[in-house]
Amino acid sequence: TQIRSYMHTVCLNPKQLTNGKSLHGIYSENDDLELHYRMHGCISYLPIRTPTPDEMENCRHIILTAEEEWNPYSDNFDRAEQAILNQQSHSSHKIAATSSKDHKSSVPPDILAKRWGTSLNIAKKTLQVTTQRGIRQLTSPLTRRFRTRQTQLRY
């Protein structure tokens, strides 16, 4: 974001995921320069090193960030984002509500109350406000546990 705020283009999309069409790096329009990221596993990084004294003296210098103090927690980012969203909301459609197929527990509230060590009333209320997504059903006996693909359901 700091580099983008200084009017450079930053693209984190790996070339392999865009059929070679993405920059996967930083482009400085002012300097007409592309700096290409490399991959370490699934992490994109810019290969850098400390310049030699000769390079410091003789090579072209590219400035990627502003001199001003950088505060990533500034409210300015949220205000600027909200201003853009407000402009777009006047010219585009909004989704006011969504719905999905209800997935209800097949285990009765009294059994769940015992398993959770809570009252029947709390078990009933919990079932009313929760859904079960990503349920896997097997046709043969369950011989191993499956890990869910939904991160928030792993804990």
Side-chain angles (χ1 to χ4, degrees):
T1 303
Q2 186 177 14
I3 295 173
R4 286 183 181 109
S5 295
Y6 202 55
M7 306 312 291
H8 298 292
T9 302
V10 178
C11 177
L12 294 172
N13 300 328
K15 290 183 180 289
Q16 62 184 317
L17 300 178
T18 62
N19 294 325
K21 294 177 184 173
S22 73
L23 166 65
H24 194 232
I26 301 168
Y27 175 68
S28 172
E29 188 173 333
N30 293 340
D31 301 295
D32 192 31
L33 175 75
E34 290 182 2
L35 303 171
H36 295 279
Y37 291 132
R38 290 192 184 157
M39 300 291 291
H40 180 72
C42 66
I43 306 297
S44 299
Y45 73 96
L46 188 62
I48 59 170
R49 62 175 173 76
T50 304
T52 65
D54 182 57
E55 289 170 330
M56 286 295 293
E57 190 68 33
N58 299 315
C59 287
R60 184 169 104 180
H61 290 215
I62 308 298
I63 300 171
L64 294 177
T65 59
E67 295 277 334
E68 293 85 34
E69 181 180 335
W70 173 252
N71 180 3
Y73 301 103
S74 169
D75 291 338
N76 295 340
F77 298 109
D78 185 49
R79 281 195 293 274
E81 192 74 12
Q82 289 303 319
I84 298 294
L85 289 174
N86 290 339
Q87 288 174 358
Q88 290 176 343
S89 69
H90 295 297
S91 62
S92 63
H93 301 286
K94 286 186 180 179
I95 298 175
T98 60
S99 65
S100 63
K101 181 180 173 187
D102 279 344
H103 300 279
K104 295 295 179 184
S105 175
S106 59
V107 182
D110 58 325
I111 303 279
L112 290 176
K114 283 183 184 177
R115 288 182 186 173
W116 295 340
T118 187
S119 70
L120 180 61
N121 189 34
I122 289 176
K124 285 180 182 178
K125 287 181 180 180
T126 302
L127 287 174
Q128 288 173 354
V129 296
T130 58
T131 62
Q132 294 183 3
R133 301 184 193 276
I135 298 172
R136 294 185 186 179
Q137 297 184 5
L138 299 175
T139 55
S140 59
L142 183 62
T143 57
R144 69 180 191 138
R145 292 182 180 206
F146 289 101
R147 186 177 177 139
T148 181
R149 291 185 184 146
Q150 296 179 0
T151 308
Q152 70 273 17
L153 297 178
R154 290 186 190 158
Y155 304 98

